[in-house]
C-alpha cells in the first residue's frame, strides 16, 4: 500500500507523528502499538508518548517507534515534556479524552494538526459531569479531526463542537491468537482445568471492576442459574475498586463465581469458555465481544451503547440491567447446543466484516495525509 505523505510535494522528509496515550487502557494501548507498527512499516516516523511501564508491556520500541516517558498527568512538568516531544511533529494523534487534553495544552497555539481518537465514553456525575462536558468540549474544538470508535462517540464529539468527527476503523489487534493452530483442545482443556471447570459449563466476563460494567446484574443472574446441575462457573477477569464488594457478595450468597484479577491470557480464557457475557461497559468496541466472535464463543450482551452496532445479529442481546433476561438467555443457550452453533456461525460472519489492522492503518494515514497536505507552507 503506497503512502502519499512521505513524498507529498511540500515535504522531502518522512512524515513525523507523535502518538499520545492517556489512561493507557488495554484497548487504546494495543491499538497504538498496532498503529505504530503499521505506520513505521509505511515509512512514517512515530514517537509514542506514554508512561514507561506502558512501553514495557506493549513494546512500542519493538515495532520501530521511539518511546518518550510522559507521566499520566497534566502537571506543568509533564506538559512541558510532551511539548518538547511534539516540537518537530508534522501531526499529533492523541488517544482518549485525557490524552487529547494534555496534547491540547502541549500544542498551545501551534498550528500542528491534532487528531484525537475517542475509544470509550467517559462517565461522571454531579459537579464532575459538568467538568467532563467542559473537557470534552475543549478537546473536541481543539482537534482538527475527532475519530470516534462508534457512531455514539462520533455524535457525542459533534455535540461538543468538533469541526470534523468521523467513525474510526479500529481493528482488534491479534492478541496471541493462532488461527492456524488446529490443536486448540489441549490449551482449552488446560485453561478449563486451571479455572475449575472441567465438568461444568464455563462462563467468561472481562472488564475492570467498576460501577459501569453491570456486575451487580451479572451476580443477580448467577444467583438464578446456580440451581442448574451442574451449576455453570462464572469467571470474571479484571481488577478495580469494586473487587471487595463483589467478593463479599460472592461469598455471602455462595455464588458460583470466581474473580481472577488481571490476566495476560484473556484470549485463551475466552476461547476456553462455553459462553461470553457482557452485562454492560463503556467501551465503544468491546474487546470481549470481538474476541468472543473471533473465537466462535457465543456471546450474551446487554443491548447498550454501541454493542448492537458492533455485533449485529451475532449475539444474544438482552435489556441492560435485566438480570432475569440475562440469566434466561444463559440457561436457554446452555440447554440448546444448536442455538449456540448458530450464534457461532453468525459471529464468524460478523467478525469478517470488521476492519483489519491494515485497513485501520490505511484509514488513519489517509486522515494524516489530508491534514498535512492542505496545510500551507510556512
Amino acid at each position: 500500500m503506497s503512502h502519499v505523505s512521505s513524498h507529498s510535494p511540500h515535504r522531502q522528509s518522512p512524515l513525523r507523528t507523535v502518538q499520545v496515550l492517556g489512561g493507557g487502557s488495554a484497548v487504546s494501548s494495543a491499538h497504538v502499538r498496532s498503529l505504530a507498527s503499521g505506520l513505521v512499516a509505511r515509512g512514517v516516523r512515530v514517537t509514542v508518548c506514554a508512561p514507561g511501564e506502558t512501553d514495557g508491556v506493549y513494546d512500542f520500541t519493538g515495532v520501530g517507534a521511539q518511546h518518550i516517558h510522559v507521566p499520566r498527568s497534566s502537571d506543568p512538568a509533564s506538559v512541558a515534556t510532551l511539548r518538547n516531544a511534539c516540537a518537530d511533529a508534522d501531526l499529533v494523534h492523541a488517544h482518549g479524552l485525557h490524552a487529547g487534553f494534555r496534547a491540547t495544552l502541549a500544542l498551545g497555539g501551534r498550528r500542528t494538526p491534532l487528531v484525537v481518537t475517542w475509544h470509550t465514553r467517559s462517565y461522571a456525575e454531579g459537579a464532575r459531569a459538568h467538568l467532563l462536558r467542559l473537557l470534552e468540549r475543549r478537546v473536541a474544538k481543539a482537534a482538527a479531526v475527532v475519530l470516534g470508535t462508534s457512531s455514539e462517540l462520533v455524535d457525542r464529539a459533534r455535540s461538543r463542537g468538533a469541526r470534523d468527527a468521523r467513525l474510526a476503523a479500529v481493528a482488534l489487534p491479534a492478541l496471541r491468537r493462532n488461527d492456524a493452530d488446529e490443536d486448540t483442545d489441549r490449551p482449552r482443556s488446560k485453561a478449563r482445568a486451571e479455572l475449575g471447570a472441567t465438568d461444568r459449563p464455563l462462563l467468561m466476563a472481562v472488564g475492570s471492576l467498576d460501577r459501569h460494567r453491570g456486575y451487580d446484574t451479572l451476580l443477580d443472574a448467577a444467583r438464578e442459574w446456580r440451581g442448574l446441575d451442574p451449576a455453570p462457573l462464572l469467571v470474571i477477569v479484571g481488577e478495580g475498586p469494586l473487587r471487595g464488594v463483589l467478593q463479599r457478595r460472592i461469598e455471602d450468597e455462595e455464588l458460583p463465581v470466581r474473580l481472577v484479577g488481571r490476566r495476560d491470557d484473556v484470549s485463551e480464557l475466552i476461547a476456553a469458555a462455553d459462553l461470553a457475557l457482557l452485562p454492560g461497559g463503556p467501551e465503544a468496541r468491546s474487546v470481549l465481544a470481538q474476541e468472543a466472535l473471533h473465537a466462535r464463543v457465543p456471546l450474551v450482551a446487554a443491548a447498550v451503547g454501541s454493542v448492537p452496532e458492533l455485533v449485529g445479529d451475532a449475539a444474544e442481546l438482552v435489556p441492560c440491567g435485566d438480570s432475569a433476561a440475562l440469566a434466561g438467555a444463559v440457561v436457554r443457550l446452555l440447554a440448546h447446543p444448536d442455538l449456540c452453533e448458530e450464534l457461532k456461525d453468525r459471529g464468524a460472519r460478523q467478525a469478517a466484516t470488521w476492519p483489519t489492522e491494515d485497513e485501520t492503518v490505511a484509514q488513519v494515514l489517509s486522515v494524516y495525509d489530508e491534514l498535512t497536505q492542505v496545510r500551507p507552507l510556512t
Side-chain angles (χ1 to χ4, degrees):
M1 185 177 302
S2 65
H3 160 47
V4 183
S5 286
S6 58
H7 52 80
S8 58
H10 60 268
R11 185 185 300 110
Q12 301 306 312
S13 57
L15 181 71
R16 295 160 299 177
T17 71
V18 172
Q19 308 287 325
V20 185
L21 265 171
S25 74
V27 177
S28 55
S29 298
H31 171 62
V32 170
R33 185 188 194 279
S34 170
L35 200 54
S37 177
L39 291 172
V40 168
R42 288 163 176 78
V44 178
R45 279 177 50 193
V46 178
T47 299
V48 178
C49 292
E53 65 270 17
T54 311
D55 184 53
V57 175
Y58 292 93
D59 192 21
F60 304 118
T61 48
V63 296
Q66 179 190 6
H67 171 254
I68 295 177
H69 169 65
V70 180
R72 217 172 269 132
S73 167
S74 298
D75 64 69
S78 298
V79 171
T81 303
L82 188 55
R83 183 178 295 120
N84 289 336
C86 296
D88 66 344
D90 295 308
L91 180 141
V92 175
H93 188 166
H95 298 265
L97 186 60
H98 292 282
F101 178 63
R102 289 210 303 280
T104 300
L105 294 178
L107 289 174
R110 289 185 198 166
R111 299 176 66 186
T112 309
L114 173 64
V115 177
V116 181
T117 297
W118 286 8
H119 290 271
T120 63
R121 179 182 170 185
S122 301
Y123 288 89
E125 293 163 3
R128 290 179 64 84
H130 176 64
L131 289 174
L132 177 63
R133 275 195 302 277
L134 291 176
L135 187 63
E136 288 177 335
R137 197 169 293 133
R138 174 87 184 265
V139 171
K141 289 183 173 180
V145 173
V146 176
L147 295 172
T149 57
S150 70
S151 302
E152 179 189 30
L153 287 172
V154 172
D155 292 343
R156 191 177 181 89
R158 286 184 182 134
S159 75
R160 298 294 188 251
R163 287 171 277 168
D164 186 341
R166 312 177 191 182
L167 189 62
V170 178
L172 175 70
L175 301 175
R176 293 174 299 282
R177 219 180 13 249
N178 188 355
D179 295 328
D181 182 8
E182 296 183 9
D183 186 14
T184 54
D185 287 341
R186 195 166 59 233
R188 188 172 187 270
S189 59
K190 183 182 172 188
R192 292 178 71 96
E194 184 217 326
L195 295 169
T198 49
D199 53 0
R200 62 198 294 197
L202 176 61
L203 316 177
M204 191 68 59
V206 179
S208 57
L209 307 182
D210 60 46
R211 290 192 309 127
H212 304 293
R213 299 280 180 171
Y215 287 124
D216 281 342
T217 304
L218 195 53
L219 294 191
D220 288 345
R223 201 165 51 206
E224 297 189 40
W225 67 57
R226 69 180 170 187
L228 295 178
D229 184 23
L233 173 65
L234 169 62
V235 171
I236 300 176
V237 180
E239 202 50 82
L242 284 188
R243 177 162 190 139
V245 175
L246 295 174
Q247 189 61 51
R248 277 194 296 278
R249 262 200 76 180
I250 291 165
E251 291 169 6
D252 291 348
E253 300 174 33
E254 298 181 349
L255 300 175
V257 180
R258 281 190 63 191
L259 306 180
V260 296
R262 286 194 184 91
R263 300 279 298 233
D264 60 6
D265 57 347
V266 173
S267 300
E268 288 87 340
L269 295 182
I270 293 171
D274 294 291
L275 298 176
L277 309 182
L278 183 63
E283 302 109 327
R285 294 184 69 84
S286 162
V287 172
L288 171 74
Q290 294 178 83
E291 286 281 0
L293 269 58
H294 272 300
R296 293 179 59 86
V297 174
L299 173 69
V300 180
V304 64
S306 57
V307 171
E309 178 186 3
L310 177 67
V311 302
D313 67 351
E316 189 82 12
L317 295 176
V318 297
C320 188
D322 189 335
S323 61
L326 179 59
V330 167
V331 172
R332 185 167 62 255
L333 287 172
L334 291 177
H336 294 93
D338 53 325
L339 292 179
C340 289
E341 287 303 316
E342 190 178 328
L343 278 181
K344 289 177 185 179
D345 291 341
R346 287 185 193 169
R349 285 197 296 272
Q350 182 70 7
T353 70
W354 294 334
T356 63
E357 289 186 76
D358 206 52
E359 288 165 345
T360 299
V361 174
Q363 189 213 31
V364 167
L365 254 182
S366 71
V367 173
Y368 291 1
D369 285 345
E370 190 182 317
L371 293 176
T372 54
Q373 285 182 22
V374 297
R375 202 156 44 105
L377 284 168
T378 54

